[in-house]
Amino acid sequence: MKKIILYIPLILALKLSAQDNVSTVNEVKFEQGSGLNFGFDNNNYQFNIGGFIQPGYTYSKFEHQDAENTMKVNRAYFTVGGKALKEKVSFFIQTDFSLSNPLLDAWVAYHPTSNINVTVGQKRTFLNNREMTINEDKFQFTGRSMLSTGLSNTGREFGVFLDGTFSIGNFGFVPQVALTSGDGRNSFGSDSRDADFGGFKYGGRLDLYPLGFFMEGNRNTTADLLHEGSLKMVVGGAASYNDGASNGVGEGHGDFDLYNEDGGLQYPDYRKMYADILLKYQGFSLLGEYANTSATGLEQTFINQAGTVVLQPMQISSMLVLGDAYNVQLGYATLNGYAVDVRYTNLIPEFKDYSSSLMEETKAYTLGLSKYIKGNSLKIQTALSSIEYKTSKEIRAELLFQIVF
């Protein structure tokens, strides 16, 4: 399958170049950071092959335990995408070969106008916090915050997505809505016996740009690498309702079973709410995020199929990640590619005194240093974190290299 995907644009290029039509211009070019690009029929049909790799080293030391040293490839991405401008459609496939199940994104989009997109397939959802909407090759630190990793897995969903970008004068706004399976990526399991559980997930996000949009190339990052000439900000909020969740963060299924009084499966409904703000000015950036997760639909729910043991209120937090989370990160990037960033994250479980809660009371402090050699296409990043759990403390140091093809 991978070979077929690779051969498609090459075959098209050979066919089109062989046509005896001097008015048609076909192009093939490679640029580090942008991948291998094909343009056919005067660039009306575009294909791209790319990817990136992130080898890294991690040192981790818990109190009263021996230190652990790990060297691995954190991510190994391969991407194929394309656009048909006349037909107003595009597609994208992205895999991570550092995972046992590598498929991350696979979608097709229709663009009725230049600012409206309708997408069907599996993709990174906008229903999470802002940092989770940022692509993995554009991290401000060596990795995402504990708010992001604690409330999400990959952030991918299978479903239908609608988004638009609009402006009134200098005021910009981006509304987005989604209807997904509610079971995360690869939500239909490995075979017909591993069926999707529960109902659909409904949600949306609204982003407001009161001072105008960020510069081109500076919108899908948290760091201000391009140095906004005037203060710019985006204020956003997202909410989702997962009708019947059986995974801790709502990105999977079958991790636990609950029952109604008749012995049938009955899963709780899982709600997530996010609010965030991102400011950029002259290389400075400030990101603030808040998240709340809760469960509902717990009435007459039993933990055994016989219907004799009722689910207690606190017990649901051992199955779903429930509580509040805060993340604040401040950074400065110079025009010659040096950056220093600090981050504070706080996780507060809904039931602080319940030892089996999936969300553990946590405070994390991180200092990051980065050297952007060619923007996000080629960079070196380091991070030093102090993580305070309820019963222990961890010191973590990380070094990461990134090469985007």
Side-chain angles (χ1 to χ4, degrees):
M1 181 63 183
K2 302 186 191 85
K3 292 183 178 180
I4 294 174
I5 294 172
L6 280 169
Y7 290 156
I8 288 174
L10 295 174
I11 293 170
L12 287 173
L14 291 172
K15 285 186 176 181
L16 289 171
S17 63
Q19 291 178 353
D20 187 18
N21 186 350
V22 295
S23 64
T24 299
V25 177
N26 304 315
E27 296 181 345
V28 179
K29 62 180 180 180
F30 173 81
E31 181 180 355
Q32 200 250 318
S34 300
L36 183 61
N37 294 280
F38 302 83
F40 306 130
D41 190 17
N42 300 318
N43 224 32
N44 284 311
Y45 299 94
Q46 305 169 13
F47 295 89
N48 172 269
I49 298 175
F52 66 91
I53 187 170
Q54 290 181 343
Y57 163 78
T58 301
Y59 167 89
S60 176
K61 176 69 170 66
F62 283 87
E63 288 181 316
H64 312 301
Q65 296 184 23
D66 294 334
E68 292 187 1
N69 297 274
T70 305
M71 295 187 68
K72 66 175 184 177
V73 175
N74 294 348
R75 296 174 180 86
Y77 279 35
F78 175 76
T79 64
V80 177
K83 298 178 182 178
L85 301 184
K86 293 180 180 179
E87 291 77 7
K88 300 181 179 181
V89 298
S90 64
F91 76 93
F92 184 70
I93 300 171
Q94 182 165 251
T95 56
D96 180 3
F97 289 107
S98 70
L99 303 176
S100 57
N101 295 308
L103 183 63
L104 292 179
D105 304 281
W107 51 259
V108 176
Y110 174 62
H111 314 279
T113 66
S114 61
N115 61 332
I116 296 177
N117 309 295
V118 182
T119 306
V120 178
Q122 180 172 291
K123 63 172 293 188
R124 181 190 301 102
T125 180
F126 38 71
L127 303 179
N128 296 316
N129 58 304
R130 181 163 304 282
E131 190 189 40
M132 278 302 298
T133 68
I134 302 297
N135 198 43
E136 286 80 2
D137 63 334
K138 294 180 172 58
F139 285 166
Q140 186 173 3
F141 292 83
T142 55
R144 300 192 194 274
S145 70
M146 295 191 73
L147 183 154
S148 297
T149 58
L151 302 184
S152 305
N153 291 331
T154 67
R156 266 74 179 186
E157 303 266 3
F158 179 86
V160 181
F161 308 83
L162 173 64
D163 66 90
T165 302
F166 307 94
S167 61
I168 301 176
N170 200 40
F171 183 90
F173 58 101
V174 181
Q176 304 168 93
V177 294
L179 172 64
T180 71
S181 68
D183 281 25
R185 72 185 185 102
N186 303 336
S187 63
F188 299 112
S190 58
D191 55 44
S192 60
R193 296 166 295 178
D194 188 14
D196 190 350
F197 294 164
F200 291 112
K201 178 178 177 180
Y202 313 86
R205 167 176 273 275
L206 177 63
D207 289 330
L208 305 177
Y209 296 80
L211 302 177
F213 292 111
F214 296 126
M215 287 190 294
E216 185 71 25
N218 213 29
R219 179 172 167 181
N220 296 320
T221 64
T222 50
D224 185 16
L225 300 184
L226 301 184
H227 281 224
E228 295 288 343
S230 60
L231 178 64
K232 296 292 179 65
M233 71 172 68
V234 53
V235 180
S240 63
Y241 182 88
N242 195 334
D243 182 14
S246 56
N247 169 265
V249 295
E251 289 190 30
H253 61 258
D255 291 354
F256 61 85
D257 289 326
L258 294 172
Y259 306 91
N260 58 29
E261 58 185 353
D262 298 321
L265 290 171
Q266 177 171 294
Y267 295 111
D269 301 329
Y270 191 38
R271 299 175 296 194
K272 290 184 178 182
M273 297 183 65
Y274 297 94
D276 44 64
I277 182 171
L278 174 61
L279 298 91
K280 297 183 182 183
Y281 176 65
Q282 291 291 333
F284 290 95
S285 62
L286 173 65
L287 172 66
E289 300 175 304
Y290 166 74
N292 171 266
T293 59
S294 59
T296 185
L298 304 175
E299 298 81 8
Q300 293 297 305
T301 299
F302 301 85
I303 63 175
N304 65 332
Q305 195 167 10
T308 57
V309 183
V310 177
L311 176 72
Q312 299 301 313
M314 287 191 299
Q315 284 181 289
I316 191 61
S317 66
S318 67
M319 304 172 190
L320 297 175
V321 175
L322 302 177
D324 299 283
Y326 302 85
N327 180 59
V328 179
Q329 51 196 61
L330 174 67
Y332 177 71
T334 67
L335 285 173
N336 58 357
Y338 292 95
V340 57
D341 306 282
V342 292
R343 177 167 68 193
Y344 169 73
T345 307
N346 189 10
L347 306 182
I348 307 170
E350 183 172 344
F351 303 101
K352 288 186 177 182
D353 298 325
Y354 185 56
S355 60
S356 298
S357 176
L358 290 183
M359 179 184 284
E360 183 177 358
E361 189 172 358
T362 307
K363 293 181 180 179
Y365 308 84
T366 302
L367 170 65
L369 300 174
S370 302
K371 171 54 178 172
Y372 297 87
I373 300 170
K374 188 181 179 183
N376 278 292
S377 299
L378 183 61
K379 64 183 178 182
I380 304 171
Q381 295 182 295
T382 62
L384 178 64
S385 301
S386 174
I387 307 172
E388 300 175 1
Y389 304 99
K390 189 172 183 179
T391 58
S392 64
K393 184 176 180 179
E394 177 190 7
I395 298 297
R396 184 186 302 171
E398 298 170 285
L399 174 64
L400 181 125
F401 299 87
Q402 175 170 289
I403 302 173
V404 181
F405 304 114

